[in-house]
Amino acid sequence: MRDKLGVILVSLAVVLCTSIGYGQEMKVSERTLPVDQDQNRDPNEVYLAVQIKAEPYGGMAALNREFKARFNIPEVTIKDGAIMRFQIIIRFIIEKDGSLSDIMTLRDPGSGLGEEAVRVLSEITKWKPAMQNNKNVRSQFTLPITIGKSDINIESKAQWGDKAYLNTAVPIMGEYFYVERLREEYKKIRYHKFEDKVNMYLSINEEGEVVGVEALNAEGMIDSSPELLELVRSLGKWLPARINKESIKDVVAIGL
């Protein structure tokens, strides 16, 4: 079924090479503040140093994938058949409930890249907030983002040209929460068959709808029932994959 679901996009076009690092101001995010100094602090203070730093759900790797899928490189940044390499530095506050506020660029190469980075971060789901003395606190976070391109194969150049670039499909609710809900709901309908190793292959059309699904366990048994497709569709739509901003079909693999 995977051969019929759609084109595997990684072989089609330039994949944006996005590197995301992270850190909190002053590089002292792991420093522990003494309890007697912390008890009388303003509860709305923005911390620069915390006992447990904030982090995105799923870790930085998940944030990197989702950022890369949502980020649209402006046409002006493509030069001589190659996407130029840029670094953007973003600073923001992670609130006690994990939402982001006061997102601003500290380094913006221009051409709309800084504005696009702010837009993408504004859309990404909540983080795990920082903690101090077992309480959620507001914290400041600095995020350097490097954007460039990877090589593309000969077939991709023939079909899309040297200036093609790819955004893979991503669930609107966010990758981490989508996978967690999918795992939970799949256990309900297949509990007696559920194994630790289950791979799902979702076919996403140009409108971001799931039009096919296949689950494969470690023993090679395949589940592609209408019940499974209905379950996956109930979790919501996706942002479709795009090449040069044109929506296309995608096949997404999810490990449960």
Side-chain angles (χ1 to χ4, degrees), residues 77 90 226 239:
T77 65
I90 306 292
L239 293 176

Side-chain angles (χ1 to χ4, degrees), residues 21-25 27 29 53 60 90 140-144:
Y22 64 95
Q24 290 178 304
E25 292 296 316
K27 298 182 180 179
S29 57
K53 63 187 176 184
M60 295 305 298
I90 306 292
Q140 184 171 279
F141 209 94
T142 300
L143 188 70

Side-chain angles (χ1 to χ4, degrees), residues 5-251:
L5 288 177
V7 181
I8 303 298
L9 293 177
V10 173
S11 65
L12 282 182
V14 174
V15 178
L16 300 184
C17 178
T18 306
S19 174
I20 295 180
Y22 64 95
Q24 290 178 304
E25 292 296 316
M26 302 166 58
K27 298 182 180 179
V28 290
S29 57
E30 298 295 339
R31 189 179 69 190
T32 300
L33 299 177
V35 175
D36 58 349
Q37 293 183 17
D38 194 58
Q39 286 180 336
N40 297 323
R41 298 181 69 155
D42 183 349
N44 291 317
E45 179 179 352
V46 176
Y47 282 67
L48 303 182
V50 291
Q51 293 168 334
I52 301 176
K53 63 187 176 184
E55 64 175 348
Y57 283 95
M60 295 305 298
L63 175 64
N64 184 43
R65 289 191 299 271
E66 186 159 350
F67 188 97
K68 181 167 56 179
R70 293 177 182 268
F71 193 92
N72 292 317
I73 287 190
E75 296 290 345
V76 71
T77 65
I78 303 174
K79 181 180 179 182
D80 298 329
I83 298 175
M84 305 297 289
R85 187 176 182 85
F86 295 98
Q87 185 179 64
I88 308 166
I89 299 179
I90 306 292
R91 187 171 69 192
F92 50 91
I93 292 173
I94 303 167
E95 300 291 344
K96 296 178 183 180
D97 64 356
S99 60
L100 305 186
S101 66
D102 296 338
I103 304 174
M104 65 179 65
T105 55
L106 300 182
R107 176 183 295 176
D108 184 353
S111 302
L113 288 163
E115 291 88 344
E116 179 64 7
V118 171
R119 182 194 68 81
V120 172
L121 281 176
S122 299
E123 290 184 354
I124 291 178
T125 51
K126 292 181 179 181
W127 288 40
K128 296 178 183 178
M131 296 190 69
Q132 184 68 25
N133 295 327
N134 296 317
K135 295 181 180 180
N136 291 352
V137 295
R138 306 175 75 208
S139 63
Q140 184 171 279
F141 209 94
T142 300
L143 188 70
I145 304 164
T146 301
I147 300 173
K149 82 172 187 68
S150 62
D151 295 331
I152 61 175
N153 59 33
I154 295 175
E155 292 79 7
S156 299
K157 289 182 179 180
Q159 183 172 359
W160 298 99
D162 288 335
K163 295 184 179 181
Y165 60 92
L166 165 71
N167 298 89
T168 57
V170 61
I172 292 176
M173 74 167 62
E175 176 187 307
Y176 175 84
F177 294 104
Y178 188 93
V179 173
E180 288 297 303
R181 284 193 58 189
L182 179 58
R183 180 181 292 112
E184 179 181 343
E185 296 300 322
Y186 187 65
K187 280 186 177 182
K188 292 179 182 178
I189 67 170
R190 295 289 185 271
Y191 185 79
H192 61 292
K193 298 179 181 179
F194 188 83
E195 299 181 7
D196 291 337
K197 299 294 182 180
V198 174
N199 291 319
M200 284 196 185
Y201 300 89
L202 280 59
S203 176
I204 315 297
N205 68 12
E206 296 91 334
E207 286 74 43
E209 299 171 336
V210 180
V211 295
V213 60
E214 184 178 88
L216 182 68
N217 66 14
E219 298 177 355
M221 298 180 63
I222 296 175
D223 180 1
S224 56
S225 65
E227 182 184 18
L228 178 58
L229 178 58
E230 182 180 355
L231 182 155
V232 174
R233 284 178 172 173
S234 72
L235 299 181
K237 296 183 68 173
W238 290 54
L239 293 176
R242 305 176 305 284
I243 291 182
N244 289 354
K245 300 183 179 180
E246 178 183 346
S247 297
I248 56 175
K249 297 177 182 178
D250 195 4
V251 176

